[in-house]
Amino acid sequence: MDQAPANPLMQKSGLPRFDEIEAGHVLPAVQELLQTAIKLFDEVEALEKPTWEELFGRLDRIDQYFEQTWKPIGHFNSVKNSSELRAAYEEVLPEVVKYSIRVAQSEKLYEEYKSIRESEAWESLSSARKRIIEQRLLSAELSGVALPDELKEKFNEMTHELSKLGNKFSNNVLDATNAYELIVTDPADAEGWPNSLKNLTSQAYNKTRKDDEPKSTPATGPWKITLEVPIVQPFWQHCQNRDLREQTYRAYISRASSGEFDNTENCNRILSLRREQAKMLGYNNYAEVSLSEKMAENVEAVQEMFETLRKASIEPAKDDLDDLQKLANESGETNELKQWDIAYWAERLREKKYEVTDEVLRQYFQHERVLNGLFSLVERLFDVQVREVDGDVSCWEPTVRYYMIFKDDQPVAGFYYDPYSRPENKRGGAWMDVCLNRRHTPDGLQLPVAHLVCNCTPPVGDSPSLMTFREVETLFHEFGHGLQHMLTTVDEPDVAGINGVEWDAVELPSQFMENWCYHKPTLMGMTAHVETGEPLPDELFEKIVNARHFRAGSDTLRQLTFGMTDMLLHSEFIPNGKQSIFDVQREVMQSTAIMPMLPEDRMLCAFQHIFAGGYAAGYYSYKWAEVLSADAFGAFEEAGLDNEAAIEETGRHFRDTILAQGGSQHPMILFEQFRGREPDPTVLLRQCGLLKD
Ligand SMILES: [Zn+2]
């Protein structure tokens, strides 16, 4: 055995030595990593008719070195950030990016994959290996590798322009958002605001206050309303002054649609470049390009889902509006409700029907008990054991723990759990990340290891850490991603666990796990009041469940408006033709909106998901994944949630299909293996109360 290198980031296998990593290790380790990677990659490109093992053996070694050196650096950026680390990261990043572009655009590799695809041996490859080749070929082709030289140059220019336009689009949204402000000075207008809103808007005011103006306090104002969602959303929910709601609402829906930050032409240009590139690649439109890498087979399949959800949501959404109008009238509002009234009255109705404060609920959710509840659920469903590993494992913080998962007493995976918030060096939110992939190495089989990171409130003194219900749900969600990574049985790292899973299917295990938080015995089993030890009262459980269905029809229609507009803009729509992008939205809203679209509605000019994010012709994925996860949970409901034997059998089936095989099979095949049929959207509709049996 070689001695472990002094620089922990230079080790070549095993669990990272997290407690030793320092910013000073980054530069020398990454330099060595890139040297080795470039050398190995040169060798790969020089191979003549390599066997699978020769080719992928080397590529896999490179990946493993990145996993040992580069992954922990990214992880530290999120959980143990410092100015030194950030500086070191920024210093090495350009070289790493340069290397990854070289690999992605390697024509030699592309030819190699093609010859494997065309060889006689193709048919005898495992489905995992076929998927690897097909995914690599497709991604290379979509980046333009296979185009003839004269087209390639043009294609690359367009890619470049698209990336600049996306950036410009985002900046315009940001600048337009920042260009607006509404200063509220009359304390009567701030009546009924929650303290969090008063704090935020008072802080916002002080940030840009001129020296000769008096300072704002949360209690007395002035308060600055901006168009940032964390401010304007609660403002609409709580501001009693209807005119102020209208002003801000109108400003919000016309962001970045006129003047110096106008995105209208950027939208058109982006859509037409995407369409043109799609045609160069041999597709009819960009939607086909996007779907070629996703689970949904084609535009029609997505539209069929839209239509099923839409039909079921229309009447409930009309009822939602009637409920609000009724409540408003009873409360003395004489006007007919408009768009800017919805959030306000919906919040009043929610308070009336389901209000349980986080503070009340938290008392029932003790962190350790929730964790044990989650683990025992997983143990029951998937026939595994979760055990904390004491001692010897190196962690980056004393509060971080390391667990291993066993099956039939054999270890199959490990995970780090970083539970508490540390605002000084850890980013917010919760996530699952890969630490190590399951792979064969010169030292033998490496088991998969995950990072599970949350931001819960740490224990104070003797009192235990308490969780909000939302935090419990999030923990289950991330653990679902983790399970797919950890319970994989695939040995090809490219398609093991969550790797290689089409991204409209990747939220299946995570949202599936969330469902258990609404399963009464599971949830009750995790609760115990921190002082009395009493389980959650039935009445509170009912509120949690009913709040989940609140305004489900209206919310679905809103998501469908975005999803359907996105899909039409990237398929049938002809940029710079007779119709404008806003005409497309209006047409969609004729079937998805209870209130007609306002003439000045220019939401598309700020729709970053599709114009500047990765969701172009992909916004439907949110709903698609919900359909899958609801339907997967439906299998357990059908088996009988109180029939222990049936639950265990269904759980093992879920483990052996969706969790174990992950990216090694097309998600539709896996889903059908598990469910015995294609996904059925009506299960989701029933689950959110939009379809009564
Ligand atoms: Zn997720």
Side-chain angles (χ1 to χ4, degrees), residues 173-221:
V173 175
L174 192 70
D175 291 343
T177 304
N178 287 335
Y180 180 89
E181 62 171 38
L182 168 79
I183 306 294
V184 176
T185 48
D186 185 350
D189 288 334
E191 193 122 328
W193 293 11
N195 287 335
S196 53
L197 178 60
K198 287 186 178 169
N199 288 336
L200 269 177
T201 51
S202 167
Q203 270 170 28
Y205 180 87
N206 284 334
K207 238 193 229 166
T208 51
R209 175 183 64 97
K210 296 193 188 68
D211 286 338
D212 54 346
E213 290 164 350
K215 233 178 148 182
S216 159
T217 70
T220 59

Side-chain angles (χ1 to χ4, degrees), residues 15-20 391-396 416:
L15 289 174
R17 283 142 57 197
F18 285 118
D19 60 345
E20 298 173 36
D392 273 359
V393 179
S394 155
C395 296
W396 52 96
Y416 296 89

Side-chain angles (χ1 to χ4, degrees), residues 477 481 507 510:
H477 179 106
H481 286 306
E507 295 297 333
S510 52

Side-chain angles (χ1 to χ4, degrees), residues 430-432 477-478 481 506-511 514:
W431 64 94
M432 191 288 290
H477 179 106
E478 299 308 334
H481 286 306
V506 89
E507 295 297 333
L508 195 177
S510 52
Q511 295 181 357
E514 281 182 44

Side-chain angles (χ1 to χ4, degrees), residues 337-405:
L337 296 188
K338 297 283 190 194
Q339 276 86 346
W340 43 90
D341 300 317
I342 301 302
Y344 180 81
W345 290 106
E347 186 59 17
R348 298 295 78 71
L349 188 61
R350 196 189 63 79
E351 284 168 359
K352 197 171 142 193
K353 288 171 85 170
Y354 313 116
E355 179 79 327
V356 202
T357 66
D358 277 352
E359 273 322 298
V360 171
L361 274 187
R362 275 163 63 100
Q363 307 297 317
Y364 291 94
F365 293 105
Q366 302 178 40
H367 200 125
E368 299 306 317
R369 202 177 168 106
V370 170
L371 218 49
N372 288 336
L374 168 63
F375 295 161
S376 72
L377 172 69
V378 165
E379 292 179 345
R380 262 174 66 214
L381 290 180
F382 307 128
D383 191 24
V384 293
Q385 296 81 46
V386 184
R387 293 181 205 150
E388 188 171 353
V389 179
D390 301 317
D392 273 359
V393 179
S394 155
C395 296
W396 52 96
E397 277 284 331
T399 50
V400 174
R401 318 160 189 188
Y402 186 71
Y403 293 85
M404 289 192 78
I405 297 187

Side-chain angles (χ1 to χ4, degrees), residues 165 262-272 576 581 605:
L165 282 166
D262 190 354
N263 266 335
T264 313
E265 268 323 297
N266 293 333
C267 293
N268 286 326
R269 182 73 186 147
I270 289 170
L271 290 172
S272 73
N576 309 309
I581 56 172
C605 287

